[in-house]
Amino acid sequence: VEPYYAVKCNPNPVLLRVLSELGTCFDCASSDEMDRVRALGVAADRIIFANPCKAAPQIAHARRVGVKLMTFDNEDELAKVARVYPDAELVLRIATDDAHSLCRFSSKFGAPMDAVPHLLATAARLGLRLVGVSYHVGSGCADAACHGAAAADALRVFQLAAQYGYQMRLLDIGGGFLGEDDANPSLADVALHLMPVLAQFPAGTR
């Protein structure tokens, strides 16, 4: 798993510089965040514009600075990208069961699974490039099984996308991992649920 640091978590310039020098990739939610890390010499291909609903000028800015990878979760976003940045590499964010998380995101972000076929068909009709799937189980997730369930949904999207001519190659497993040494569930607990599902993804999936 390649870590992508969410700049919105803490944009302290010293921290960003240390992470950039260590080769970390970055999760940016705005043009300002992209500019912060680009100013540190971070290559555009080490950034994901991970905001599912973006203003057209922000999409245009991503195009100017060469950030191709970006998320979406709705049809309107596909229309904007097709108009402003048709060469973008899109990652479909899906909703998850975040009932066991301290901070829930699926009420705001993520396409429900029953909307996925329509979004895939729309992307194909517009000639857009879909490269992967993302999800986030919510911050402070207390149920390790949620990670495996979300990954299983993402795997179904990979399989469904093939019917629309897409060979997906990227899985963004979001966050939600508890950070304390004595956390329950621990990262090892999460791995017990997550790793068997990850093993089912196509060979070479990033």
Side-chain angles (χ1 to χ4, degrees):
V1 175
E2 300 173 73
Y4 275 66
Y5 177 74
V7 177
K8 62 181 172 290
C9 171
N10 182 350
N12 179 282
V14 176
L15 175 61
L16 296 181
R17 179 173 296 280
V18 170
L19 290 172
S20 70
E21 291 176 355
L22 290 171
T24 303
C25 297
F26 292 89
D27 171 320
C28 296
S30 68
S31 57
D32 176 67
E33 291 181 4
M34 285 186 277
D35 289 344
R36 284 173 184 259
V37 296
R38 292 286 288 133
L40 296 171
V42 175
D45 62 4
R46 285 168 54 194
I47 299 170
I48 181 170
F49 191 4
N51 187 340
C53 299
K54 302 169 287 297
Q58 298 257 322
I59 298 172
H61 185 81
R63 183 177 188 175
R64 282 194 298 273
V65 300
V67 175
K68 284 192 170 186
L69 202 59
M70 59 181 63
T71 61
F72 78 99
D73 65 6
N74 63 86
E75 185 174 0
D76 289 343
E77 194 73 6
L78 288 173
K80 275 188 289 184
V81 173
R83 185 176 72 252
V84 179
Y85 195 179
D87 293 332
E89 297 181 347
L90 297 175
V91 178
L92 171 56
R93 179 161 176 170
I94 57 173
T96 65
D97 176 8
D98 56 8
H100 300 278
S101 298
L102 293 176
C103 185
R104 303 176 184 178
F105 297 133
S106 288
S107 61
K108 297 188 296 181
F109 304 117
M113 288 297 290
D114 60 7
V116 167
H118 176 70
L119 292 175
L120 293 173
T122 300
R125 176 175 57 80
L126 293 172
L128 295 172
R129 302 169 65 188
L130 264 62
V131 300
V133 180
S134 73
Y135 64 81
H136 197 304
V137 300
S139 292
C141 182
D143 184 359
C146 290
H147 293 272
D153 282 344
L155 178 60
R156 285 195 285 275
V157 178
F158 265 59
Q159 295 164 342
L160 185 60
Q163 300 177 25
Y164 295 87
Y166 291 113
Q167 296 288 321
M168 296 216 172
R169 54 178 173 77
L170 173 71
L171 176 65
D172 180 345
I173 64 174
F177 313 106
L178 301 179
E180 298 83 5
D181 290 337
D182 57 352
N184 183 24
S186 67
L187 194 59
D189 296 330
V190 170
L192 287 174
H193 292 273
L194 185 55
M195 295 302 289
V197 184
L198 296 186
Q200 300 175 52
F201 280 79
T205 298
R206 181 179 174 195

